[in-house]
Every structure is written in structure tokens, then in C-alpha cells.
Amino acid sequence: MFYLLNDLLLCFFEVICCGIFIEVFAPPERKQTRWRAVRFFGTTTLLQYGVAVCLSEYLLLRQATVIGLLAFSMHLYYRIRLKRTMLLAAIYQGLAWVADLLVYVGLYSDAIASQMEVNEMMGRMFVVIGKAVLLLIVIILRNISAKRTRSMSDAKWFRLLIFPLYTIAVGCAITMNFESIGNVIQMTVLYWIVLGLVGMNVVIFYVMNDIVKRNAQLSEAKILEIQVKEQTQKYRYISENYEKQKAKAHEFKNQIQCIEALLKNEEYQALEQYVGKIGAGIVAENNTINTNHPIINAVLNAKYAEAVQKGIVFIVRVNDLSVITVSEEDMVVLLSNLLNNAIEACEKCSGQRSIKVKLLKETDKLILSVKNSKDHDTRRVGDAFETTKEQEPGEHGFGIGNIIKIVEKYQGIYVISDENQEFCFSIIIPL
């Protein structure tokens, strides 16, 4: 029972470390639920243990099978290409061998107790310390990767490294004094203490990782809130200007009548003076799109003007949106992000450039669809999209996560399609 539980825990630790290592070089394309993670890591642990038992006498075959098992499992779990997970799994196994080699070379001593039980326990202690060294290597690699994204400060990473360093130090100290311990029970207890410390390292890593992610989300939410307020204020100001333009357009009718009267009476000098006086004050009517919702009008008209200025065909289909349950701030986020991404993608098109917007209120739902032409394929990475064109940022990566959060907030659904040189983002929100 002791050996079975010990081997299962070591296999579980290896699978966890492999997952952490793969996330360094190939971030998962979608979020995983806790229950799915437990099922995946548990099943992979059992399969790896079975391989280790069945192929215990065939070292190379066993290692090759473990690499294939880890690669295929990570491919299914993280939705990463199989070739990539195969390469990463092979590199990970190489790191595991290096960690074990470092431990055996560093801790091997001629002063090994003559009792077989003690030798076996010491060998198992070497294995556990090797796993702690492996975790330390993986965390260091993750730290190097995190510096590129600035997801965690150096001080926080140093605190995270303290735990595996402490575990390695404790394990080494106990191993070097094994020969002075004559009681097998004491050796077993000390072994489980070190094994427990290794397990606690994994728990601490995930706890700190969750704290960092939560802090990043809170910071992102705060920044988004500030941006939304600024955008809403901007479009409210634009909406007020549109209302003023409407009033001036009404005054313009009276001015036309006055001009007609002056022409009829052939009072050309008075006409010239009158036209010069009112010419500077006339504002052209720019409220091309009208949904009876001032904020939506402001966003759509602003983006319409921007698209037309850049030579993009802008097709809109709307109806009366005067009464909808979605807040003004959330509508600004939805429309601004979708239209900004669409305009940016169209600017990079070499052929026909067009944006088609559908924003309709039906009996029990709000339908929003933005479709734009594009030149290059995109691939989804988490809640963002990256173009397959080299050395070019993602065409649709900006704000997609914020859009999805708002859709989920109103218990809506969304569909993303990317085909026939068109990218389409469709949303349905129940009212």
C-alpha cells in the first residue's frame, strides 16, 4: 500500500509539472474548469502509472510511451497541436532526467547504510528531491516567460522560489543524515514529510498563481471601467452635438425660405450679405444612422464616418432601440470593440473592404452582428484572436474578452465565424 500510494503521488506530481511546463511555451486556447482539470490529471496519472508498471523492464520503451501519453493527453486538454505537445513532452522528460541526474551526482555518497531497506528508502528520497528540483526548473522557466509579459514582479517570483529551495534543502539535509537513523519508522516518517513538502510546493504555486491572475483581472476591470466611462462621456457629448445639429437643420429651412424671397425680389446684394452671415453657422446634418438611442447613434455614426473616410463600405441595418435592457456603458464596449477591430482588419485588406452591421431589437432579444472582410486567417488563443500573418499583431485580439464577459453578464450567446475571407461576430442577448 505504501509503494502504491507513493508511486501514484510521484506520477501525479510529474503530470502536474508537465502541465505547468507546457503552459509556459504553449498557453491553452481555452479556460479549463476545476472539475475537468481534476479528471484530466487523475486519469493521466493512472495511465502513466500503468505504463510504468507494465514496461518497468524496458526503460527506453517506457520513456517513449510516457512521452507519447503526455503529448496526446496535453493535446486533448489544452487544444494544442499534437506535434507541438510531442516536442514539449520530450523536452520535459529531458529536464526530468537532468533533475534526477543532478540529485544523484550531488547527493551520492560512499557512506550508504548497509541495510537494504535503508538503501531503498534513500533511493526514494533521491527521487522525491529530484521532483523538487524539476519543479524549481519549471518555475524558473515560467519566471523567464512571465518577464516578457510582465505578469508577475521579480519580488513575487522570488517568494515563489523560496518554497522549492527550502524543500530541496530539507530533503538534502535529511538524506545526508539517513545513516545515523536506525529506526525504519523514523525514516519513513521523514520521507513522507519531504514528500508532503513537495506536494505543498504545487499547492502554493497554484494558490499564488490564482492570486496573481485575480489581481490582474481586478486591475484590468478597473482600467476597463475607466475606459468605458471615458468612452460613454465622449459618445454622450457627440450625441448632444447631433441634437444641436438637428435644431440647426430645422432653422435652415426658415433660412432657405428667406433666401428664396430675396431671389424672387432680385435683392442680390442683400442676399449676398445674408448668405455670408449665416454661412459660417450652418452645420451639415451628420446623423446618418438613427436608432432612437442617443449613445448607440453616437457610436454608430462616429464609426460610420471613420469607415467612410478610410474608404470602407459601411452597411448598417438597425431598428428602434429606444428601450433595451443593456446599459449604455456595456453597449459602448460592445460596439466600440467590434467596430474598431472590424475597421482595423479592413484597413489591411488589399481587395474589397466592407463592414456589415446588424443591430436589431426583436420581441425578446437583441441581435448584434458585425461582419468584415479580411485578408489573413486568424486563430483563437483563449479569449483573443491572432492573425497567422508573420510579424503582425492580432486583427481581432483587442477587446474580445471584454465582449464575451458582457455577453455572459446578460446570459446571452455569441457565435464567431471565420471563413470565406470574412470574420463575423454575432451576439444574441435576451431582453
Side-chain angles (χ1 to χ4, degrees), residues 33-48:
T33 62
R34 292 180 183 269
W35 174 238
R36 188 172 185 272
V38 170
R39 285 187 301 170
F40 164 75
F41 286 111
T43 303
T44 307
T45 298
L46 292 175
L47 291 174
Q48 181 170 335

Side-chain angles (χ1 to χ4, degrees), residues 9-252:
L9 288 175
L10 291 177
C11 287
F12 181 73
F13 184 84
E14 286 186 0
V15 174
I16 290 288
C17 281
C18 183
I20 298 172
F21 175 78
I22 286 182
E23 288 181 5
V24 173
F25 300 98
E29 296 189 359
R30 66 177 184 180
K31 296 180 180 179
Q32 309 295 339
T33 62
R34 292 180 183 269
W35 174 238
R36 188 172 185 272
V38 170
R39 285 187 301 170
F40 164 75
F41 286 111
T43 303
T44 307
T45 298
L46 292 175
L47 291 174
Q48 181 170 335
Y49 176 76
V51 170
V53 172
C54 295
L55 303 177
S56 58
E57 298 180 359
Y58 308 96
L59 177 61
L60 294 179
L61 179 60
R62 182 185 66 192
Q63 293 299 332
T65 306
V66 167
I67 290 174
L69 171 64
L70 290 175
F72 186 71
S73 300
M74 298 300 170
H75 162 70
L76 294 177
Y77 183 67
Y78 290 113
R79 302 294 183 186
I80 303 170
R81 287 181 299 175
L82 185 59
K83 289 182 180 179
R84 194 172 189 182
T85 54
M86 186 69 73
L87 175 62
L88 291 174
I91 296 174
Y92 169 75
Q93 283 296 312
L95 289 176
W97 294 339
V98 169
D100 290 339
L101 181 63
L102 289 174
V103 172
Y104 275 97
V105 171
L107 294 180
Y108 187 78
S109 174
D110 293 333
I112 299 177
S114 58
Q115 298 180 11
M116 176 61 78
E117 189 72 23
V118 174
N119 284 335
E120 183 178 356
M121 189 63 66
M122 184 174 290
R124 289 184 175 275
M125 185 68 81
F126 285 165
V127 173
V128 173
I129 297 174
K131 304 308 176 191
V133 173
L134 176 61
L135 178 62
L136 179 64
I137 294 173
V138 171
I139 291 177
I140 291 174
L141 291 174
R142 188 156 183 145
N143 181 18
I144 296 173
S145 174
K147 282 184 177 180
R148 294 197 301 266
T149 59
R150 299 180 181 178
S151 60
M152 187 183 290
S153 64
D154 291 337
K156 291 180 179 178
W157 275 111
F158 179 74
R159 294 172 197 165
L160 190 59
L161 292 175
I162 289 176
F163 297 102
L165 287 172
Y166 175 77
T167 301
I168 294 170
V170 171
C172 291
I174 293 176
T175 303
M176 298 302 293
N177 290 279
F178 248 23
E179 58 181 354
S180 63
I181 303 174
N183 192 326
V184 177
I185 297 178
Q186 290 181 355
M187 295 179 184
T188 305
V189 171
L190 291 173
Y191 171 81
W192 281 103
I193 288 174
V194 176
L195 184 60
L197 285 174
V198 174
M200 285 300 297
N201 276 271
V202 176
V203 174
I204 291 170
F205 172 82
Y206 277 106
V207 168
M208 291 192 67
N209 197 48
D210 286 343
I211 292 174
V212 171
K213 286 183 178 179
R214 193 174 298 111
N215 289 339
Q217 290 173 353
L218 291 174
S219 177
E220 181 182 350
K222 188 67 176 177
I223 294 173
L224 176 62
E225 182 182 355
I226 294 173
Q227 291 176 341
V228 168
K229 286 182 178 179
E230 291 178 350
Q231 286 183 326
T232 304
Q233 185 177 4
K234 168 188 172 183
Y235 289 119
R236 186 173 285 115
Y237 175 75
I238 294 174
S239 176
E240 292 173 356
N241 284 342
Y242 283 150
E243 295 302 322
K244 293 178 182 178
Q245 291 172 17
K246 282 184 178 181
K248 290 189 176 183
H250 179 71
E251 296 174 2
F252 184 64

Side-chain angles (χ1 to χ4, degrees), residues 215-233 327-338 340 383 397-407 409-410:
N215 289 339
Q217 290 173 353
L218 291 174
S219 177
E220 181 182 350
K222 188 67 176 177
I223 294 173
L224 176 62
E225 182 182 355
I226 294 173
Q227 291 176 341
V228 168
K229 286 182 178 179
E230 291 178 350
Q231 286 183 326
T232 304
Q233 185 177 4
S327 69
E328 293 180 349
E329 290 79 6
D330 290 338
M331 284 304 304
V332 168
V333 174
L334 291 176
L335 291 172
S336 297
N337 282 294
L338 287 174
N340 284 340
D383 285 342
F398 304 106
I400 293 292
N402 295 331
I403 294 170
I404 293 174
K405 288 178 183 178
I406 292 176
V407 174
K409 172 184 175 181
Y410 291 95

